[in-house]
Amino acid sequence: MHRRMPGPVVAIVVGIVVALTALAAAAKEAAPEAADPALEARMTRITSELRCLVCQNQTIADSNADLAADLRRETRELLKQGKSDREVVDYMTARYGDFVLYRPPMRPTTVLLWFGPALMLAIGATVLVIVLRRRSRMTAAAFDPDDDDDDEAGAALAASGVVPRP
């Protein structure tokens, strides 16, 4: 006994197949690499040293952002024009600032970037040592809870209707 699918179900299945076919047809092709493998290797080496301005935690070489793709294309074009690696990096730095570099140069404007984490660590260690020394000089009685605090807490609990356990 063969059962035929009702008309609406067939229409839905055909609609899904047509939609999936349209999606497959609209898929983009991968961006072509340079015809020259040496040029492509230089481009990859340079862009792996530059920060993606959109992602900020990825290099231009690793990022899938549209801006990163544009910067890779621009880097490739500059290299095709005969620019040196240094000239390409200088161009990107002039356009986007030192932030685009994963290893920014030591300058007065980047001193905090280079030494800020070590400075914060030193400040934290100093505060910890001071607090521990002060606590080591305190008597044991300074660490005992105050009886007045227990009485006030018990009164507050009793007033709220909560009975404290003995």
Side-chain angles (χ1 to χ4, degrees):
M1 177 186 225
H2 294 290
R3 198 175 210 190
R4 292 183 67 186
M5 291 172 41
V9 174
V10 172
I12 291 173
V13 170
V14 169
I16 290 173
V17 169
V18 169
L20 291 175
T21 304
L23 284 174
K28 293 181 180 178
E29 285 188 30
E33 291 188 2
D36 182 7
L39 181 78
E40 192 65 22
R42 282 181 63 202
M43 190 274 308
T44 302
R45 186 176 61 249
I46 292 169
T47 57
S48 65
E49 292 294 323
L50 300 173
R51 181 187 317 275
C52 175
L53 301 169
V54 175
C55 306
Q56 296 184 7
N57 62 343
Q58 285 184 312
T59 65
I60 291 173
D62 296 333
S63 176
N64 292 326
D66 289 339
L67 178 63
D70 290 342
L71 292 175
R72 284 192 298 270
R73 191 172 18 267
E74 190 168 357
T75 301
R76 193 177 288 117
E77 288 302 317
L78 290 170
L79 291 174
K80 283 180 183 177
Q81 293 172 12
K83 304 282 185 186
S84 71
D85 294 5
R86 183 79 251 155
E87 288 174 322
V88 172
V89 171
D90 289 344
Y91 172 81
M92 294 292 185
T93 305
R95 192 165 183 193
Y96 300 107
D98 285 337
F99 182 75
V100 77
L101 301 173
Y102 255 111
R103 287 182 257 153
M106 181 69 73
R107 294 185 182 152
T109 56
T110 60
V111 168
L112 190 59
L113 177 68
W114 281 100
F115 297 110
L119 180 66
M120 294 302 288
L121 182 65
I123 290 170
T126 302
V127 168
L128 180 65
V129 167
I130 290 170
V131 168
L132 290 177
R133 283 187 180 171
R134 285 184 183 171
R135 287 189 69 144
S136 69
R137 287 187 231 142
M138 296 173 77
T139 63
F143 296 103
D144 291 335
D146 295 335
D147 291 335
D148 295 340
D149 290 342
D150 290 341
D151 293 341
E152 290 174 14
L157 287 175
S160 66
V162 177
V163 180
R165 293 186 180 170

